[in-house]
Amino acid sequence: RLSLVHAPQLAAYAGSPLPLVVAAALAAAGAFGVVRAVRSGDRLAGATLLGWLLLPSPEPWYATWLVPVVAFVRPSPARWALLAASVTGAVGYLQDLPGGTALHDPALLGGVMLALYALPVLIAAAAPAGQAPPTPPPLVSPAPTALPSPAASPAPAASPTPTPLPAATTTPNPFTYVVKPSPAPGGGPQILEIALNDKVLRPGGQLLVQITTSPEITRMVVRTMGREIGVPLAGTGVFSGQQTIPGGVPSFLLNRTYQIDFIGTTADGKTATATIPVRFER
């Protein structure tokens, strides 16, 4: 079979070192692409690419498991390499076309290997990395708002006629998106309520969050797309914070709905998790 792991056998089969040389160059570029993906945090894409490179027979229909990984991981050179591999895999059928001793030709073997592997490994090794999503600063607890001092009551007038009191003023609720997660089975720590200022967030806008939990939870983090932000503890069973969402967000991250995980942890390591959808728009 035409594959990198069979390069020594292909060289012996063709009676020439050419397939081995071509495979060695492709393997070196592929290994560099895998290491590059792992170092940049694209571990799933890098591991999938490595698995594809080590296949003894990269069949074309393997695109059925390459493409779902492409849909799951974030944009990166390794992701585009997997997408290319899902297409170039069709070259594997070329070895079934020539008859007789045609496949003994080292130039044909080397050319088919290049057509099968060259584009994915070059993309993984040399394609420019996309702009990484900005890492937002940690959420900060909102500063307490000083309550106005009550006005001193005037001395009673000589006339007994009562003076009507002014209408009470109320502060509008800043949280318009409130979710009450279903209770976790079996008791234990619970996330009781998640409140955000809006279900749709925008670059440069404000994010306010307040999470109400059972009292034993002492730590809260918010996680999405492999990134994690801590939410300060405001009181027993209450975590709250606010921040300005960074501007200059890459366009490929906008106009999408994300699943946001809220993970609470107790002092003895037990966890409670709740997930809500949040829209990120331009």
Side-chain angles (χ1 to χ4, degrees), residues 1-22:
R1 306 298 293 181
L2 286 169
S3 67
L4 298 182
V5 296
H6 283 147
Q9 293 92 329
L10 292 172
Y13 177 71
S16 167
L18 179 61
L20 186 59
V21 172
V22 171

Side-chain angles (χ1 to χ4, degrees), residues 18 22 91 94 105-116:
L18 179 61
V22 171
V91 175
L94 292 180
D105 184 349
L108 177 61
L109 284 175
V112 174
M113 292 179 69
L114 283 172
L116 179 60

Side-chain angles (χ1 to χ4, degrees), residues 1-108:
R1 306 298 293 181
L2 286 169
S3 67
L4 298 182
V5 296
H6 283 147
Q9 293 92 329
L10 292 172
Y13 177 71
S16 167
L18 179 61
L20 186 59
V21 172
V22 171
L26 293 171
F32 180 83
V34 170
V35 172
R36 181 189 185 197
V38 173
R39 287 183 174 177
S40 64
D42 302 320
R43 293 181 176 84
L44 177 58
T48 306
L49 180 62
L50 177 62
W52 181 75
L53 292 171
L54 294 178
L55 287 173
S57 180
E59 299 289 350
W61 57 267
Y62 289 165
T64 57
W65 56 267
L66 290 175
V67 172
V69 175
V70 171
F72 182 77
V73 300
R74 68 182 180 89
S76 64
R79 181 199 198 200
W80 306 130
L82 292 174
L83 184 59
S86 71
V87 177
T88 61
V91 175
Y93 284 135
L94 292 180
Q95 63 186 347
D96 301 322
L97 296 181
T101 60
L103 272 181
H104 283 272
D105 184 349
L108 177 61

Side-chain angles (χ1 to χ4, degrees), residues 121-215:
V121 300
L122 286 177
I123 291 174
Q131 182 180 0
T135 301
L139 291 169
V140 296
S141 298
T145 303
L147 296 176
S149 301
S153 301
S159 173
T161 305
T163 302
L165 295 174
T169 58
T170 58
T171 303
N173 184 0
F175 301 107
T176 62
Y177 180 33
V178 180
V179 178
K180 296 182 182 294
S182 301
Q190 304 282 336
I191 295 178
L192 306 176
E193 181 181 278
I194 300 170
L196 302 181
N197 57 311
D198 203 336
K199 187 175 182 178
V200 179
L201 303 177
R202 291 177 171 82
Q206 288 294 314
L207 168 63
L208 294 107
V209 59
Q210 180 172 287
I211 305 113
T212 305
T213 71
S214 53

